[in-house]
Amino acid sequence: MADSVAQTIHGYEHDNLRHVVVTSTCFAFILSTTAVGFRIISRKINGSGLFVDDWLIIIALIFEYGISIAGVVLLYNGLGTHIVEISPEQLVIYLKTLFTGSILYTGCIASIKLSILMLYRRLFPVKSMKYAVSIVSLIVILWAACGILAGCFICIPTEKLWHPMLPGGCMNLSKFYYGLQVPNIATDAIILLMPMHIVWNLPISKVQKLGLSGIFILGVLTLIFDIIRLVVLIQLSTQGEDITYNQVPASVWTCIEPAVGIVAACLSNMRPLFKVIHTKVWSRLSSRYATHTNNPSDSQINEKGVWPRQTPSPSNSPSPSGDFDQSPTHNQSAV
């Protein structure tokens, strides 16, 4: 009864945004876990151990779990409902949990970037790439360190973040978001472009070059989500004090963006798994087709002028990535 009265007074449906948070959190959790799981399975198929880039993506996944857990804690302490419906105790827990967000998010994104950079270093062991990887890795590490420090001291003293009445001061949120996201977007763009020159100089066909470039360019989704998150955060900083209700879009993108980044970082490592799946599916389809064409009723159909298709065996057809496997700059156990 009290809830219905509050809904009438304040003109909204209680908890009407919670389902958005639940859906995005589950989506991010499943997507990132599946991608890393497939990556590890691909390593086992190759018979190789885990490389540095694999361990870094596992660390990124742990950070993503932390972001998801923080989202659940926020959900149970007011995220998706208006601030007038939240008790002071819940609000303190909410703001303390929110405080961890910049640390978890920055750590996750930095781990993803470093994982991709270490993959580049392993796949393309040339001097120019090694130098580029070293420089960009240093930039990413400095960005992460500055972002985490700024997040920890966004208010001085830190307790002022969840106890606003304490004396002290807080950083301008718009400037903080710009300072965090603009370098993030810039490094993502650089990382996307880094392997293109080497890929297009490999002794492989244009189709294979386009395929490899497409795998790396899939990371452009992360770049787009970076920009969307920046816009959402800037909007949040100007939307007033109803943070628990207005925070939903920012929380959704903070959860989804790293998950998509993890998937983009893992896709180029799943080739062995895709090859196994392709071979098995092709073999089953070929055997079924052979059985079908040997059926007497099919023979009668063929006598009427219908020609059976000749399905090539995967062992006799050229591998779409065979030339790339023979490239002197490619480590066959790498992907």
Side-chain angles (χ1 to χ4, degrees), residues 56-77:
L56 283 167
I57 208 67
I58 291 172
I59 292 172
L61 182 64
I62 293 171
F63 276 118
E64 175 66 13
Y65 287 166
I67 294 170
S68 300
I69 292 170
V72 173
V73 174
L74 291 175
L75 186 67
Y76 278 95
N77 287 279

Side-chain angles (χ1 to χ4, degrees), residues 263-284:
V263 173
C266 289
L267 277 176
S268 60
N269 295 270
M270 296 182 192
R271 207 168 129 266
L273 179 62
F274 293 154
K275 288 178 71 175
V276 169
I277 293 173
H278 175 267
T279 302
K280 288 186 177 181
V281 171
W282 191 281
S283 299
R284 288 183 181 179

Side-chain angles (χ1 to χ4, degrees), residues 25-36:
T25 302
C26 292
F27 174 77
F29 183 90
I30 295 171
L31 193 67
S32 56
T33 302
T34 302
V36 175

Side-chain angles (χ1 to χ4, degrees), residues 232-259:
V232 169
L233 289 173
I234 297 304
Q235 290 175 345
L236 174 65
S237 65
T238 62
Q239 285 180 341
E241 297 181 355
D242 194 4
I243 58 171
T244 54
Y245 188 80
N246 297 330
Q247 187 85 36
V248 170
S251 296
V252 168
W253 287 110
T254 298
C255 194
I256 289 179
E257 182 206 330

Side-chain angles (χ1 to χ4, degrees), residues 14 26 40 48 53-54 72 75 79 90 97 119 159 196 243 253 255 265 275 289 315 318 326 333-334:
H14 188 68
C26 292
I40 294 173
S48 61
D53 49 285
D54 298 315
V72 173
L75 186 67
L79 181 62
Q90 283 182 306
T97 305
L119 176 67
E159 291 81 0
M196 293 299 110
I243 58 171
W253 287 110
C255 194
K275 288 178 71 175
Y289 180 77
S315 61
Q326 302 301 322
S333 65

Side-chain angles (χ1 to χ4, degrees), residues 60 62-74 79 93-110 143-144 147-154 158 161-162 176-177 180-181 184 229 233 236 247 250-255 257-258:
I62 293 171
F63 276 118
E64 175 66 13
Y65 287 166
I67 294 170
S68 300
I69 292 170
V72 173
V73 174
L74 291 175
L79 181 62
I93 296 173
Y94 183 94
L95 293 173
K96 285 183 177 180
T97 305
L98 202 61
F99 167 72
T100 67
S102 60
I103 300 172
L104 294 171
Y105 171 82
T106 306
C108 184
I109 295 297
W143 167 79
I148 291 172
L149 283 174
C152 289
F153 298 103
I154 195 169
T158 305
L161 185 62
W162 51 85
F176 172 71
Y177 295 143
L180 187 65
Q181 283 298 100
N184 182 26
R229 184 174 181 270
L233 289 173
L236 174 65
Q247 187 85 36
S251 296
V252 168
W253 287 110
T254 298
C255 194
E257 182 206 330

